Amino acid sequence: MKTLVMKFGGTSVGGAPAILQAAAIVQEQVQAWEHLVVIVSAMRGVTDALIQGARTAASGDGQTYPALVTDLRVKHTLAVAELLSDTDERTALLKALDAYLDEFATFCRSVQVLGEVTPRAMDAISSLGERMNARIVAARLRQEGLRSEAVDATELIVTDRRFQQAAPLMDATRARTQARLLPLLEAGIIPVVTGFIGATEDGITTTLGRGGSDYSASILGAALDADEVWTWTDVDGVLTTDPRIVPDARVIPVLSYSEVGELAYFGAKVLHPKTISPVVERGIPLWVKNTFNPTCPGTRIVREPESTPGTVKAVSAIKGLSMVNVEGRGMMGVPGIAARTFAAVASQGASVLMISQASSEQSICFVIPTEAVAGVIAAIEEEMALELSRRDIDRVWAMDDVVIVTAIGAGMRGTPGVAARIFGALAQKQINVIAIAQGSSECSISLVVAADQATEAVRQLHAEVINGGE
Ligand code: ASP
Ligand code: MG
């Protein structure tokens, strides 16, 4: 085996005890791999604090951010005190951390003067947590006798200019990553790279979106042609469902890229939804493992898992949604209604989680986050003003408080009867299914149910279709 990329999430490097544990995990892998790359998130809560500082400063509040600077200083200094005994390392590191915290204060002051925080400024500010933590973790690894160096992903991941939601430009990223990291790796140095961040071609800091360190790991894994990418988190792997809803939720041993893609999209918080795409092409296996229970194997995510026909592996729920309906008998057979409807939705920047249209073509319904509903309905009404006045469209309305419950498993593909089991299980509990959609990958079925029946629906599907299906 050659190259392993390991990412540690915010809880996994959330303070001195966790960092010690993460360092022990690195130590364990050093012998087994020729090249080891570590990616770290900010300490848990730090990105939130940085964003809060920027937001409050933008609203004219000059009190909150200085208090946050103090909190962050205490948090990082305490960790350093526990992790490093070498005084030279410690002094140098504390100086570096101070510089980042000063930068945070300066940014916030400017934001306060300007009275607004641009997405670009937000990225500069929110990137500081990863920068600090990469330095702390690298110093700890050095203290343990490993050769290690902190590297800012601004030197590696080249992105477009969509601040706060940047996408990597893979060719440029590959070239830069290899040029910067391969010499370190060849020299036996473990790079500790900042997750979450990148930079535009001209070097302006960007971020990949909240929770984006997973994505960083898969981008760098692909750029280095890694043999495996492991993401260390604080749960045992990808679970069959949310354990807060179903206490006997279990770890799923193997998932395919497409299954985990559906899961991430439909609300499971284990991996950032974009994590899969960089590794798909190269077929790099991805593991999700628990820092605090490292002997548990975790979940392996691969191109083609063995899938048992008929099995449903996971069930998830997304809340806070509304279902918008565009209804009218005059819509039948009229081309362009759907295109215009969704153009109006897109004009509001709302993302659509699910669409369904009956073949009678008398209604289109789709699910969006509730906060987008008012704008979306107004935009559709404006777009369809003529059709509404002619009564070709009768009404555009929303049903609030709905939840999308999704059952996921590639074993559903080509297996008749899975849908029947799902609906049968829900019927037993008198759960009303408001709308249904199945992706053409046949790897998931999504159902819209009322919010007050969602918990029951997830429990019932877990009990009857996942557990009962084995
Ligand atoms: N620190 C970033 C966040 O909190 C990225 C990450 O944790 O993955 O969103
Ligand atoms: Mg995360």
Side-chain angles (χ1 to χ4, degrees), residues 160-424:
D160 60 15
R161 303 181 65 87
R162 289 178 55 210
F163 295 102
Q164 300 199 274
Q165 205 57 253
L169 307 175
M170 280 311 285
D171 292 341
T173 297
R174 200 176 157 78
R176 279 204 205 170
T177 301
Q178 295 197 355
R180 176 77 171 93
L181 295 189
L182 288 180
L184 296 181
L185 294 168
E186 295 297 341
I189 296 169
I190 301 170
V192 179
V193 182
T194 57
F196 184 47
I197 69 183
T200 60
E201 206 100 57
D202 46 346
I204 301 160
T205 301
T206 54
T207 65
L208 307 172
R210 291 306 307 272
S213 296
D214 299 328
Y215 193 23
S216 308
S218 68
I219 292 168
L220 294 178
L224 290 168
D225 294 323
D227 296 276
E228 295 194 3
V229 174
W230 296 4
T231 69
W232 291 95
T233 174
D234 56 357
V235 289
D236 281 341
V238 182
L239 299 179
T240 48
T241 192
D242 184 342
R244 287 166 304 183
I245 301 178
V246 180
D248 68 343
R250 287 167 286 117
V251 175
I252 306 169
V254 189
L255 283 167
S256 68
Y257 292 146
S258 53
E259 287 171 326
V260 84
E262 298 277 322
L263 258 173
Y265 184 70
F266 286 109
K269 292 225 165 57
V270 264
L271 278 178
H272 187 279
K274 291 179 187 158
T275 308
I276 297 307
S277 63
V279 295
V280 165
E281 221 173 285
R282 292 168 204 280
I284 302 170
L286 203 77
W287 286 82
V288 177
K289 288 170 175 280
N290 188 351
T291 310
F292 307 101
N293 187 13
T295 53
C296 173
T299 299
R300 186 163 58 95
I301 302 161
V302 289
R303 207 196 301 245
E304 303 282 353
E306 77 286 346
S307 66
T308 315
T311 49
V312 173
K313 290 187 184 171
V315 54
S316 70
I318 322 184
K319 300 183 184 141
L321 304 176
S322 295
M323 191 169 80
V324 177
N325 297 270
V326 180
E327 291 175 357
R329 271 180 293 271
M331 287 162 59
M332 200 189 307
V334 181
I337 297 271
R340 285 166 56 208
T341 301
F342 290 110
V345 177
S347 75
Q348 300 303 301
S351 74
V352 177
L353 286 97
M354 183 179 139
I355 302 172
S356 94
Q357 182 183 29
S359 58
S360 71
E361 292 185 54
Q362 293 185 11
S363 74
I364 298 173
C365 73
F366 55 90
V367 179
I368 56 175
T370 300
E371 68 262 15
V373 164
V376 162
I377 289 188
I380 296 174
E381 283 175 346
E382 195 186 321
E383 174 63 36
M384 301 294 177
L386 186 61
E387 285 77 4
L388 282 161
S389 72
R390 286 196 205 136
R391 312 283 298 151
D392 285 341
I393 291 178
D394 297 320
R395 59 181 188 142
V396 181
W397 63 285
M399 179 188 287
D400 287 335
D401 297 320
V402 300
V403 171
I404 296 182
V405 174
T406 303
I408 293 151
M412 296 196 293
R413 185 175 301 144
T415 311
V418 178
R421 264 166 53 218
I422 290 174
F423 294 111

